[in-house]
Amino acid sequence: EARSLWTSKGLTDYVYKYRRSCFCLPESRQPLMVTVEGGVVTEVVYADDADEEFTPGDAPNDDIKERVPSVDGLFDKIQGGIDQSAFAITVTYGEVYGNPTSIYIDYDEMIAD
């Protein structure tokens, strides 16, 4: 239902904030502003509320940038969790556009994440 709402809006050019939560290095957990044009991620930069050692507007390293999805990519991640029978999936969606605003996927209950 949420993906249908998102698709019905026909948005291919937008900016959104992305933040990954994980047991990983601090640079992988910083809030990022993601620019999408034509459905493709074209720019990823640190957001204004990034930790002080990360300058807002600066691009993270390529490894981080390559892992940042478009909103359609977020839906694909959710579907991937469903398809792989993840142990737990919790998703919150925006009411107006249907875009995921929070995603939690735990693939294995025995792995700390």
Side-chain angles (χ1 to χ4, degrees):
E1 182 178 310
R3 190 169 200 160
S4 295
L5 177 58
W6 171 257
T7 301
S8 75
K9 300 296 182 180
L11 298 173
T12 59
D13 300 333
Y14 53 89
V15 176
Y16 82 100
K17 186 183 276 188
Y18 175 84
R19 184 175 193 146
R20 183 175 180 215
S21 178
C22 58
F23 289 110
C24 50
L25 295 172
E27 56 266 19
S28 294
R29 297 188 311 259
Q30 297 306 307
L32 302 167
M33 296 307 300
V34 181
T35 301
V36 177
E37 296 172 336
V40 177
V41 174
T42 58
E43 183 179 47
V44 177
V45 296
Y46 290 112
D48 289 341
D49 56 343
D51 291 346
E52 63 183 39
E53 64 265 27
F54 303 96
T55 304
D58 280 359
N61 67 46
D62 288 341
D63 182 52
I64 293 171
K65 287 191 302 188
E66 291 170 3
R67 288 186 278 131
V68 176
S70 64
V71 170
D72 288 317
L74 293 173
F75 280 111
D76 292 344
K77 286 184 181 292
I78 295 163
Q79 188 60 53
I82 294 167
D83 293 346
Q84 295 177 41
S85 301
F87 171 70
I89 302 173
T90 305
V91 183
T92 304
Y93 299 96
E95 292 181 23
V96 175
Y97 296 104
N99 56 300
T101 57
S102 175
I103 302 169
Y104 172 78
I105 301 175
D106 186 353
Y107 287 94
D108 187 333
E109 87 176 295
M110 302 306 291
I111 296 176
D113 48 17

